[in-house]
Amino acid sequence: MAWLILIISGAFEAVWAVALSKSQGFSRLAPSLVFAVALVISMGGLAIAMRTLPAGTSYAVWVAIGAVLTIGYSMATGDEAISPVKIALLLGLITCVVGLKLAH
């Protein structure tokens, strides 16, 4: 169950990262509110997962999930350029996360 919570909280990390970008320095209300709610959910899930999982593994997986989803979303919406190198590096990051799960 801790792994599922960690994955969901990692996804919410991507939500708050994108919302933070869209908030334009907290000058836009809706994205700022999405940021705040997603941040609380994301951090709360990470804290719950860390009750069972090692802190280093939890944090690394949480950050990696958030980074991959944030970059993937940005590439899908055209906010960030798509390149074979970026895709290969993201796949490498995903492979490392899976490796951490298998090593646990």
Side-chain angles (χ1 to χ4, degrees):
M1 189 64 160
W3 281 100
L4 178 61
I5 292 169
L6 185 61
I7 290 166
I8 292 168
S9 68
F12 273 98
E13 184 194 8
V15 172
W16 70 250
V18 171
L20 180 60
S21 172
K22 304 269 185 212
S23 76
Q24 297 178 354
F26 300 115
S27 65
R28 297 179 60 216
L29 181 61
S32 297
L33 292 174
V34 170
F35 163 79
V37 171
L39 180 69
V40 168
I41 293 169
S42 179
M43 292 290 181
L46 177 61
I48 291 168
M50 284 182 168
R51 290 180 186 164
T52 307
L53 302 172
T57 300
S58 299
Y59 184 70
V61 170
W62 179 77
V63 168
I65 291 169
V68 167
L69 292 177
T70 302
I71 295 167
Y73 175 83
S74 295
M75 289 192 305
T77 59
D79 290 339
E80 190 162 330
I82 300 171
S83 76
V85 172
K86 281 185 186 178
I87 292 171
L89 291 169
L90 289 172
L91 289 173
L93 189 54
I94 292 166
T95 302
C96 290
V97 167
V98 170
L100 284 172
K101 166 64 172 117
L102 295 175
H104 181 262

